[in-house]
């Protein structure tokens, strides 16, 4: 008789988490789907919650320790690392990083990039969620010391800094493009809306007020801030977290049309923009994870 293994399961937003005891990977999928409220028979992918490793082999599943936490994903859902945000900008250091503080002997005060370097050493995908200030700090760091802190060869560290600079440049170009587009759209709206303002006074202001006072649908699962961004911001897809984008894309046009109160054309355009932004972010995460795997392979070869 196969031993039963205590495990934990969660959905991709990590808002739901349950403990289960199962003898096999297949049973984990069935029982986890039932607890998480997934539709019966809907295919799911099992990954490790801590690093996104896909678990498909029963033997590997049995080798994992008890109380391992798994994430169950639908077809269009993707694993992303846990975000601990400080003021909406930088990742906070993980608990495991605190073990390294004593060996630094207070040098982080003199070199503020050290904490950021530790984050990169733990997970290179954190680049995507770093603020511009954090990225610039890493770009300005001495490449030799950065290489030592991250565990890379100096040449690899220089290439990493070049990549970070490219990320900064691309963000600045996107900001400038969006600012120009916003100015253009405002000019067009002002010119084209003057006649409408004269013929229907007060209606546009009433519409604006409706956006500000709209109540959150308790059944939608979205926070009020997320709904306000979706309804009232220019290029809202760039202001949402990866988890929010996945929720929007997963819900589909009809559901979001009811939640947002927009017409079908606007809702469809919004979902296309969210899906494109989500795809781009996931591609960035995959690219960074590929770099991390390559770096770990180089490091293991060097140590052997």
């Amino acid at each position: 008789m196969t031993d039963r293994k205590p495990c934990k399961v969660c959905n991709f937003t990590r808002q739901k988490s349950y403990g289960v005891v199962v003898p096999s990977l297949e049973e984990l999928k069935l029982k986890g789907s039932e607890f998480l409220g997934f539709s019966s028979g809907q295919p799911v992918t099992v990954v490790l919650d801590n690093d996104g490793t896909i678990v498909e082999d029963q033997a590997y599943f049995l080798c994992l320790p008890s109380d391992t936490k798994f994430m169950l994903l639908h077809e269009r859902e993707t694993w992303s690392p846990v975000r601990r945000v400080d003021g909406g900008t930088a990742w906070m250091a993980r608990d495991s990083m605190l073990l390294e503080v004593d060996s630094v002997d207070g040098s982080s005060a003199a070199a503020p990039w050290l904490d950021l370097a530790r984050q990169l050493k733990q997970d290179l995908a954190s680049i995507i969620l770093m603020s511009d200030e954090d990225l610039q700090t890493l770009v300005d760091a001495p490449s030799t010391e950065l290489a030592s802190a991250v565990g890379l060869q100096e040449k690899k560290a220089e290439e990493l800094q070049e990549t970070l600079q490219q990320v900064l440049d691309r963000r600045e170009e996107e900001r400038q493009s969006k600012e120009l587009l916003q100015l253009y759209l405002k000019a067009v709206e002002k010119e084209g809306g003057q006649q409408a303002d004269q013929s229907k006074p007060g209606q546009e202001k009433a519409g604006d007020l409706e956006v500000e006072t709209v109540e959150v649908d308790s059944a939608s699962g979205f926070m009020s801030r997320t709904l306000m961004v979706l309804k009232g911001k220019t290029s809202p897809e760039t202001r949402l977290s990866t988890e929010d984008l996945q929720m929007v894309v997963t819900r589909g046009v009809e559901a979001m049309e009811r939640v947002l109160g927009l017409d079908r054309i606007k809702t469809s355009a919004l979902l296309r923009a969210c899906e494109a932004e989500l795809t781009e972010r996931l591609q960035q995460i995959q690219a960074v994870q590929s770099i991390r795997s390559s770096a770990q392979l180089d490091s293991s070869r060097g140590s052997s």
Side-chain angles (χ1 to χ4, degrees):
M1 181 176 178
T2 305
D3 292 336
R4 296 167 67 83
K5 181 192 293 290
C7 307
K8 299 175 182 178
V9 293
C10 66
N11 59 356
F12 79 97
T13 63
R14 296 184 175 89
Q15 293 177 347
K16 294 182 179 180
S17 182
Y18 298 93
V20 297
V21 180
V22 295
S24 65
L25 178 61
E26 192 62 31
E27 186 69 18
L28 175 71
K29 293 181 180 179
L30 294 175
K31 195 173 263 189
S33 297
E34 178 182 352
F35 280 20
L36 293 172
F38 293 172
S39 300
S40 177
Q42 188 173 12
V44 296
T45 300
V46 178
V47 302
L48 296 180
D49 176 66
N50 61 345
D51 63 4
T53 299
I54 298 175
V55 181
E56 294 182 339
D57 182 64
Q58 169 69 8
Y60 178 71
F61 169 76
L62 294 176
C63 292
L64 294 171
S66 298
D67 289 323
T68 297
K69 189 172 184 179
F70 300 91
M71 180 181 292
L72 271 57
L73 303 173
H74 287 159
E75 182 180 359
R76 303 186 70 177
E77 296 174 348
T78 305
W79 175 89
S80 61
V82 177
R83 292 187 303 135
R84 294 184 175 90
V85 183
D86 180 10
T89 56
W91 278 38
M92 294 181 64
R94 297 182 180 180
D95 293 342
S96 60
M97 296 178 190
L98 296 177
L99 299 176
E100 303 178 19
V101 171
D102 291 338
S103 62
V104 175
D105 192 22
S107 60
S108 59
W113 54 267
L114 279 176
D115 286 339
L116 300 173
R118 294 192 191 100
Q119 294 181 39
L120 292 183
K121 186 176 181 179
Q122 292 288 328
D123 187 2
L124 276 174
S126 62
I127 291 173
I128 298 172
L129 298 176
M130 284 186 177
S131 66
D132 291 355
E133 182 180 357
D134 292 339
L135 293 178
Q136 190 62 57
T137 300
L138 288 169
V139 170
D140 295 336
S143 58
T144 303
E145 297 179 22
L146 179 63
S148 176
V150 180
L152 298 174
Q153 299 177 358
E154 184 175 353
K155 184 178 180 181
K156 292 285 187 179
E158 292 175 352
E159 293 176 355
L160 175 61
Q161 288 179 307
E162 291 177 1
T163 301
L164 297 178
Q165 185 61 58
Q166 291 173 4
V167 173
L168 280 171
D169 294 342
R170 187 172 68 84
R171 288 184 181 181
E172 182 60 28
E173 291 174 358
E174 289 178 351
R175 274 194 294 269
Q176 293 178 359
S177 299
K178 287 172 183 176
E179 288 175 1
L180 289 173
L181 179 59
Q182 290 172 4
L183 290 173
Y184 171 76
L185 291 175
K186 287 180 179 179
V188 171
E189 290 176 359
K190 183 177 180 180
E191 181 179 354
Q194 288 178 348
Q195 294 180 350
D197 290 340
Q198 295 174 356
S199 60
K200 299 179 180 180
Q203 288 188 1
E204 188 171 7
K205 291 184 178 179
D208 291 340
L209 181 60
E210 182 180 351
V211 170
E212 295 297 329
T213 59
V214 66
E215 295 183 358
V216 178
D217 182 2
S218 59
S220 70
F222 290 103
M223 296 185 298
S224 58
R225 184 194 65 80
T226 301
L227 293 178
M228 292 300 293
V229 169
L230 287 170
K231 293 182 178 183
K233 298 292 185 181
T234 304
S235 301
E237 69 279 1
T238 63
R239 302 170 183 264
L240 296 179
S241 67
T242 301
E243 289 84 354
D244 287 338
L245 287 173
Q246 288 178 326
M247 289 183 67
V248 171
V249 172
T250 302
R251 291 297 177 86
V253 175
E254 292 185 1
M256 294 308 300
E257 187 177 358
R258 291 193 298 270
V259 170
L260 299 177
L262 302 176
D263 59 41
R264 178 59 61 91
I265 295 177
K266 290 182 179 179
T267 306
S268 299
L270 176 60
L271 258 69
R272 285 196 299 270
C274 289
E275 187 169 4
E277 178 70 18
L278 176 61
T279 300
E280 182 178 354
R281 292 189 191 181
L282 296 180
Q283 287 174 348
Q284 290 175 347
I285 292 176
Q286 291 172 357
V288 172
Q289 290 176 340
S290 176
I291 294 174
R292 177 179 61 185
S293 300
S294 177
Q296 291 175 344
L297 181 60
D298 290 345
S299 177
S300 62
R301 288 176 177 175
S303 60
S304 61

